[in-house]
C-alpha cells in the first residue's frame, strides 16, 4: 500500500509532536532522525508488520519552512501549535 500525501504529512507531524513533547521545542538539526514510538498512520507495509518507523524530521521541517507559503492554513496552524519558527 502506498502512502498518500496526507498519510506522509500525518507521519511527519507525529514525529514533530513526539520530538516537541520530549524537547519542548522544534529547533531540530537538519540531520536529525526521529524514531516514532507509536505509529497510528499506515506504514506502507503490505504484510502489516509493525515496528519502529524512522522519520527524517530535520530534513522535513527544513523543507516545510522553505515551502511555508504553499502550506494550507490548517497545516501551518498544526505546526504553529508546536512553536514552529518560520
Amino acid at each position: 500500500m502506498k502512502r498518500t500525501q496526507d498519510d506522509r504529512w500525518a507521519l511527519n507531524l507525529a514525529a514533530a509532536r513526539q520530538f516537541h513533547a520530549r524537547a519542548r521545542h522544534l529547533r531540530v538539526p537538519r540531520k536529525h532522525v526521529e524514531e516514532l514510538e507509536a505509529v497510528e498512520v499506515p506504514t506502507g507495509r503490505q504484510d502489516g508488520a509493525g515496528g519502529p518507523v524512522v522519520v527524517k524530521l530535520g530534513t522535513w521541517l527544513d523543507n516545510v519552512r522553505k515551502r511555508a507559503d504553499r502550506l494550507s492554513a490548517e497545516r501551518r496552524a498544526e505546526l504553529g501549535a508546536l512553536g514552529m519558527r518560520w
Side-chain angles (χ1 to χ4, degrees):
M1 172 171 62
K2 189 170 178 162
R3 288 186 190 139
T4 66
Q5 188 176 22
D6 288 337
D7 289 342
R8 288 191 303 272
W9 176 266
L11 185 66
N12 287 310
L13 184 61
R17 286 180 174 145
Q18 179 177 289
F19 181 91
H20 183 265
R22 183 178 64 252
R24 309 312 280 165
H25 64 79
L26 274 187
R27 294 181 307 274
V28 181
R30 180 153 173 85
K31 293 187 177 188
H32 178 76
V33 175
E34 188 74 11
E35 188 172 300
L36 285 174
E37 297 168 359
V39 179
E40 295 181 9
V41 295
T43 62
R45 297 180 186 180
Q46 293 181 356
D47 60 3
V53 174
V54 176
V55 175
K56 295 179 180 180
L57 184 60
T59 301
W60 180 71
L61 287 172
D62 190 49
N63 290 337
V64 166
R65 281 185 188 99
K66 290 176 182 175
R67 297 178 180 97
D69 59 326
R70 291 185 260 168
L71 285 179
S72 68
E74 179 184 348
R75 289 184 173 183
R76 285 184 64 92
E78 288 174 329
L79 290 172
L82 298 176
M84 175 77 154
R85 294 185 319 173
W86 300 99

